[in-house]
Amino acid sequence: MDTQALALALPLIGWASHTALLTHRLATARRDPLTGLRTRAGWTALAERIIRRHRDAVVLLLDLDDFKNLNDTHGHAAGDFALVVTAERLAAWCGRNGIAGRLGGDEFVAIARQAPDLYLESLHRALNQPVAYAGRRLPVSVSVGSCHVKDLPVRSLSDALATADSAMYAAKGTSGRRGPRTLNR
């Protein structure tokens, strides 16, 4: 190859390499590296579109119960495996009807275009099955909060997530992120 052709080709090769790197970074920013689910940023844009187009959409917020204990007892590799299996179960439940994402840690999110109560019950059954890992059965329990978008005064993702968050913590038996709920009598 002559030097003139090389001089012309180098900037194009550099540009192509840089484009490939940026494309890879963008793709990985929208996917969780452990579970392969969409990240908050990747999930949010699609969820907002579903809310605009589907009046019967249901937003779900999910959290693994006692996940710290699972990690402490069985190790972080077992905890990671439980996260991956939970992600697979959630993605399978969503199928072509919705989108699943991982917010971080042991929190997941999903939206389905429609989800009758029987459909939601099937999710609970699927998620709350033990996970086989290294010859052991790891207990997995997931609290799920849901919000039917049609029940909101204004259809917005932020309101749906807030409602699902409250429902999830009610399912856990707590009032929210600040601690246990107390019952007034």
Side-chain angles (χ1 to χ4, degrees):
M1 181 176 241
D2 69 355
T3 56
Q4 189 175 23
L6 184 60
L8 290 173
L10 279 178
L12 292 175
I13 293 170
W15 178 80
S17 298
H18 183 68
T19 301
L21 176 65
L22 290 177
T23 301
H24 175 71
R25 284 187 180 169
L26 181 60
T28 57
R30 296 191 180 275
R31 293 282 179 181
D32 175 60
L34 177 64
T35 64
L37 293 180
R38 295 182 182 278
T39 61
R40 181 184 304 263
W43 181 84
T44 299
L46 294 171
E48 287 175 342
R49 188 174 328 145
I50 289 173
I51 284 176
R52 281 193 309 272
R53 293 180 181 173
H54 300 276
R55 180 174 168 9
D56 292 331
V58 177
V59 174
L60 306 171
L61 201 56
L62 307 91
D63 187 74
L64 272 71
D65 300 326
D66 299 319
F67 184 67
K68 182 181 179 336
N69 186 42
L70 180 98
N71 266 341
D72 292 348
T73 304
H74 301 284
H76 289 284
D80 284 352
F81 188 75
L83 291 172
V84 169
V85 170
T86 299
E88 290 170 351
R89 291 172 177 174
L90 182 58
W93 177 83
C94 285
R96 294 175 142 319
N97 190 42
I99 301 160
R102 181 176 177 213
L103 298 179
D106 62 342
E107 288 190 331
F108 295 87
V109 67
I111 186 167
R113 288 175 184 86
Q114 58 183 339
D117 289 339
L118 287 175
Y119 193 55
L120 290 172
E121 288 174 21
S122 71
L123 175 64
H124 285 274
R125 282 191 304 276
L127 292 175
N128 289 295
Q129 296 295 315
V131 172
Y133 176 77
R136 291 178 272 165
R137 292 174 58 85
L138 304 178
V140 174
S141 173
V142 180
S143 293
V144 180
S146 64
C147 173
H148 292 267
V149 175
K150 67 183 174 188
D151 295 338
L152 295 172
V154 176
R155 290 189 332 192
S156 77
L157 181 59
S158 61
D159 289 349
L161 285 170
T163 301
D165 188 56
S166 295
M168 181 189 67
Y169 279 101
K172 281 186 174 292
T174 63
S175 60
R177 299 179 188 276
R178 290 189 168 70
R181 104 179 128 180
T182 57
L183 299 174
N184 296 326
R185 293 191 180 186

